[in-house]
Amino acid sequence: MREQFHEELAGLSDQMVEMTRLVGSAVARATRALLDADLDLAESVIAADERIDAVQGAIEEKSLELLARQAPVATDLRSIVTGLRMSADLERMGDLARHVAKLARLRYPQRAVPDELTSTIVEMGQVAERIVAKAGTVIATRDIATAPTALELETDDDAMDRLHRELFRVLLARPWTHGIEAAVDVTLCGRYYERFADHAVSVARRVAYLVTGERTPTPKPS
Amino acid sequence: MREQFHEELAGLSDQMVEMTRLVGSAVARATRALLDADLDLAESVIAADERIDAVQGAIEEKSLELLARQAPVATDLRSIVTGLRMSADLERMGDLARHVAKLARLRYPQRAVPDELTSTIVEMGQVAERIVAKAGTVIATRDIATAPTALELETDDDAMDRLHRELFRVLLARPWTHGIEAAVDVTLCGRYYERFADHAVSVARRVAYLVTGERTPTPKPS
């Protein structure tokens, strides 16, 4: 009985790792769609978000079932409740990747991002992908002490903040010759990537809290 | 024992109503600070966000305690888990009000919003305030059928979307004479109000789901 319960908990964890894989792929492909003005790719990211939502729905249902059936306490209870939060973060990350893809679709056949910001957006996409991959590793291993991930995640988050500032620097450097629409697009894009990274860090922090019982001092999210 | 438990559940509900009151006040004051370039008011909104976070922390702690101690099932279990989600939405709404206030602070003594958008922002602030007040009523009464709130919330959300589109219409109307920085500020502001409303509607939907057991078809959030 206990063993089966812990297998079910491990199953939830596997599904969350699967979610990190799906949203990692989504943000990478959305970035590609944005930079290549690739309509088909953008559409595929938008469509694939349903799958992410479905996994979250399954996690939610299973979690409620386990809470009702097992009446867990202490670590097991905390683990399930935290998992619900993490899956909500991951679902939101899927939404944000979808927003990037929708921006690519909206401006097609034009590119939403001016050339001079290509490298910044490439990097934002890479940091986003990396950070969610590491969050996946943290979930899979639950080993905050030795996994090469916990501090790195903070560093990646700092990298994202730096890129976000760089984006605004370019945007506000005179003269901006790409018009207001492009400025709006770039502003929103930057916000999507930044929020994506915030949620990924939040996922990793929740795992850390589960493992160590200590809350990382959380800087207020942007 | 059961009676005490239900009193504790009611206590959680009261705390969530309190959160709606706090975030409603925060968004109203943040809007005022933004439109009046009122630094003191902006600072007070930023400082007051701690109180919102504290109420959420208390709700979370109490919820976990109740789950562990009472091992609730069925409606009671769903009510507690949904409450955790709702308090997370409300906490995020506090963050978004704080973002508006921080924008006011950043541009002080200038106003972040050009005159021609004043009325749109006034309305966005009013819709945000109204929608969270109604979410509070829904939580307090748990009466989806007769409370004058459920459908109205959707209508208010539509109103917010309309205002958001209006904002972009003004922004992209030629000529925009306020420069790129103001365009960025207005874009972010619009996003903050829109997300605030999304979370408020999400809170109300969760109550509806608790009461009726039926999930409202959820349009994908922006």
Side-chain angles (χ1 to χ4, degrees), chain B residues 89 93 131-132 135 150 152-158 160 194-208 216-219:
Chain B
D89 279 316
M93 290 161 74
I131 209 167
V132 71
E152 277 178 41
L153 268 162
E154 305 292 332
T155 311
D156 286 332
D157 197 35
D158 291 345
M160 186 61 94
E194 194 207 14
R195 289 296 300 152
F196 187 100
D198 284 345
H199 282 286
V201 170
S202 153
V203 166
R205 283 220 182 90
R206 292 185 206 282
V207 183
T216 320
T218 312

Side-chain angles (χ1 to χ4, degrees), chain A residues 49 53 56 60 64-65 67-69 71-74 77-78 81 84-85 87-88 91-92 95-96 98-99 102 107 168 171-172 176 179-185 187-188 191-192 195 206 215 220-222, chain B residues 49 53 56 60 64-65 67-69 71-74 77-78 81 84-85 87-88 91-92 95-96 98-99 102 107 168 171-172 176 179-185 187-188 191-192 195 206 215 220-222:
Chain A
D49 191 44
D53 295 352
Q56 195 216 357
E60 212 171 304
L64 279 169
E65 184 208 315
L67 286 173
R69 182 156 50 79
V73 294
L77 171 60
R78 217 165 40 149
V81 171
L84 282 169
R85 282 281 171 84
S87 70
E91 192 269 335
R92 183 71 197 147
D95 288 345
L96 291 162
R98 183 170 46 85
H99 287 348
K102 283 176 90 169
R107 298 304 170 214
F168 281 120
L171 203 53
L172 299 176
W176 173 261
I180 296 296
E181 188 174 81
V184 169
D185 288 351
T187 301
L188 289 175
R191 179 97 190 133
Y192 299 151
R195 289 296 300 152
R206 292 188 208 279
R215 253 183 231 285
K220 286 303 291 179
S222 52
Chain B
D49 192 41
D53 295 352
Q56 194 216 357
E60 212 172 304
L64 279 169
E65 184 208 313
L67 286 173
R69 182 157 51 79
V73 294
L77 171 60
R78 218 164 42 147
V81 171
L84 283 169
R85 283 280 172 83
S87 70
E91 192 269 335
R92 183 69 197 148
D95 288 345
L96 290 162
R98 181 169 48 85
H99 287 348
K102 283 176 89 169
R107 298 302 171 216
F168 281 120
L171 203 51
L172 299 175
W176 173 261
I180 296 295
E181 189 174 81
V184 169
D185 287 351
T187 301
L188 289 175
R191 180 96 190 131
Y192 299 150
R195 289 296 300 152
R206 292 185 206 282
R215 253 182 230 287
K220 289 300 294 179
S222 50

Side-chain angles (χ1 to χ4, degrees), chain A residues 4 44 61 69 83 150 158 195:
Chain A
Q4 191 205 330
S44 86
E61 204 174 313
R69 182 156 50 79
D158 290 346
R195 289 296 300 152

Side-chain angles (χ1 to χ4, degrees), chain B:
Chain B
M1 181 76 177
R2 290 293 297 170
E3 197 172 327
Q4 191 204 332
F5 175 50
H6 280 110
E7 267 169 32
E8 288 177 305
L9 284 184
L12 282 178
S13 179
D14 289 347
Q15 281 182 300
M16 272 180 278
V17 173
E18 167 74 358
M19 280 188 89
T20 63
R21 207 187 52 72
L22 291 171
V23 303
S25 165
V27 79
R29 287 181 303 132
T31 305
R32 194 62 9 245
L34 185 73
L35 295 174
D36 297 350
D38 183 333
L39 185 60
D40 289 342
L41 190 56
E43 293 284 9
S44 86
V45 173
I46 294 163
D49 192 41
E50 273 186 26
R51 167 84 187 124
I52 296 170
D53 295 352
V55 180
Q56 194 216 357
I59 290 173
E60 212 172 304
E61 206 174 313
K62 187 73 186 176
S63 299
L64 279 169
E65 184 208 313
L66 288 179
L67 286 173
R69 182 157 51 79
Q70 300 283 347
V73 294
T75 308
D76 291 340
L77 171 60
R78 218 164 42 147
S79 163
I80 293 175
V81 171
T82 303
L84 283 169
R85 283 280 172 83
M86 283 160 52
S87 70
D89 279 316
L90 288 162
E91 192 269 335
R92 183 69 197 148
M93 290 161 74
D95 288 345
L96 290 162
R98 181 169 48 85
H99 287 348
V100 172
K102 283 176 89 169
L103 205 54
R105 181 173 71 177
L106 184 67
R107 298 302 171 216
Y108 179 84
Q110 255 74 53
R111 247 173 60 126
V113 174
D115 288 343
E116 67 194 282
L117 278 166
T118 300
S119 69
T120 309
I121 296 287
V122 165
E123 271 197 78
M124 287 182 108
Q126 288 174 343
V127 173
E129 196 186 347
R130 200 162 68 213
I131 209 167
V132 71
K134 287 180 187 171
T137 306
V138 174
I139 297 172
T141 61
R142 293 225 172 169
D143 187 355
I144 297 296
T146 61
T149 48
L151 263 176
E152 277 178 41
L153 268 162
E154 305 292 332
T155 311
D156 286 332
D157 197 35
D158 291 345
M160 186 61 94
D161 289 345
R162 186 181 49 71
L163 289 164
H164 200 207
R165 282 195 300 275
E166 165 69 12
L167 198 109
F168 281 120
R169 204 192 54 70
V170 174
L171 203 51
L172 299 175
R174 286 153 203 274
W176 173 261
T177 56
H178 311 287
I180 296 295
E181 189 174 81
V184 169
D185 287 351
V186 165
T187 301
L188 289 175
C189 251
R191 180 96 190 131
Y192 299 150
Y193 284 107
E194 194 207 14
R195 289 296 300 152
F196 187 100
D198 284 345
H199 282 286
V201 170
S202 153
V203 166
R205 283 220 182 90
R206 292 185 206 282
V207 183
Y209 179 49
L210 270 185
V211 174
T212 64
E214 275 170 34
R215 253 182 230 287
T216 320
T218 312
K220 289 300 294 179
S222 50

